[in-house]
Amino acid sequence: AQRVTQPEKLLSVFKGAPVELKCNYSYSGSPELFWYVQYSRQRLQLLLRHISRESIKGFTADLNKGETSFHLKKPFAQEEDSAMYYCALSELGDMRFGAGTRLTVKP
Amino acid sequence: KAGVTQTPRYLIKTRGQQVTLSCSPISGHRSVSWYQQTPGQGLQFLFEYFSETQRNKGNFPGRFSGRQFSNSRSEMNVSTLELGDSALYLCASSFDGADQPQHFGDGTRLSIL
């Protein structure tokens, strides 16, 4: 069965520091992987997807099939990055979310 | 264009009752997915509808059902409500499926007394 694990419930960094939110998955096929973000009082929204290989708001995520990981990274965190981040895996429309990591960026 | 709209925003029911939640997707989106979000279990996939057909289903009992209309609007029904059904129910739409970027609504907060 598919499974998505975000090992950190809470993550706190200082402004300007690098940040990495971890995501590991268990799935034997070729999954579609996403990072969704929910800012305070806003809807859950897509941050990025692995197939796009793009950088959004300075965030990047690399799919490592060998380690079955899809960690989210940003070299210099900003206070506005404080939010709840969810890693998600989709297989033909069956979507699985991780438990989420709450990132706090301190001034 | 307008985002995903869920109604009602809040609902209070008692055990044993049934409830119907509604979701209007973004215009042009044909896929609608439903999720249950609770503090203990997080975000859990309920089912996905595409062109009026249920295409995927999560691991929920048969008390949870849904349907999709020809205009892509979707409803979710929960029968014989239990205390554990108290949750935020989120709807998300995408053009073609949950393996594409999904747009979420604000959710319906269901409380069971």
Side-chain angles (χ1 to χ4, degrees):
Chain A
Q2 314 162 337
R3 189 176 178 88
V4 180
T5 304
Q6 293 179 251
E8 303 137 329
K9 279 190 173 180
L10 303 170
L11 185 61
S12 182
V13 300
F14 284 101
K15 177 182 172 181
V19 63
E20 180 180 66
L21 292 91
K22 291 184 168 53
C23 172
N24 291 92
Y25 66 91
S26 61
Y27 178 61
S28 57
S30 296
E32 291 280 345
L33 286 157
F34 305 85
W35 277 98
Y36 282 85
V37 60
Q38 189 165 27
Y39 301 102
S40 178
R41 296 191 183 87
Q42 292 189 29
R43 299 179 177 193
L44 192 61
Q45 58 186 280
L46 177 71
L47 181 61
L48 53 81
R49 57 190 297 206
H50 91 273
I51 199 169
S52 302
R53 302 185 66 83
E54 57 191 346
S55 173
I56 304 292
K57 299 185 179 183
F59 283 97
T60 58
D62 290 319
L63 175 61
N64 186 322
K65 289 188 177 181
E67 295 181 358
T68 58
S69 67
F70 188 55
H71 302 329
L72 184 68
K73 301 177 185 179
K74 184 169 182 176
F76 307 104
Q78 303 299 314
E79 289 180 69
E80 55 266 30
D81 296 329
S82 295
M84 192 74 176
Y85 291 80
Y86 294 94
C87 181
L89 178 158
S90 175
E91 180 209 3
L92 299 176
D94 187 345
M95 195 76 156
R96 305 287 165 155
F97 281 82
T101 298
R102 182 168 297 284
L103 173 66
T104 301
V105 181
K106 296 180 284 190
Chain B
K1 45 186 170 183
V4 176
T5 304
Q6 291 188 246
T7 55
R9 290 294 309 278
Y10 304 93
L11 208 46
I12 299 175
K13 291 286 186 179
T14 57
R15 281 183 297 172
Q17 287 187 308
Q18 75 164 18
V19 68
T20 300
L21 313 181
S22 179
C23 172
S24 293
I26 288 174
S27 178
H29 284 190
R30 298 180 295 173
S31 169
V32 174
S33 297
W34 288 89
Y35 299 87
Q36 182 194 66
Q37 187 176 30
T38 59
Q41 299 297 319
L43 268 162
Q44 291 186 281
F45 173 72
L46 279 154
F47 29 64
E48 183 215 359
Y49 283 86
F50 181 84
S51 292
E52 302 178 64
T53 301
Q54 187 182 88
R55 193 160 63 172
N56 287 286
K57 189 176 188 308
N59 191 25
F60 277 81
R63 299 185 297 108
F64 292 81
S65 63
R67 58 178 176 169
Q68 187 179 33
F69 301 95
S70 58
N71 62 357
S72 292
R73 190 177 72 84
S74 177
E75 288 182 347
M76 190 191 95
N77 186 75
V78 188
S79 62
T80 321
L81 287 164
E82 301 177 359
L83 292 176
D85 297 333
S86 293
L88 180 67
Y89 290 89
L90 291 170
C91 165
S93 76
S94 66
F95 180 71
D96 223 8
D99 55 348
Q100 294 184 358
Q102 294 186 81
H103 298 259
F104 283 81
D106 287 323
T108 294
R109 172 85 53 194
L110 175 63
S111 298
I112 311 301
L113 304 179

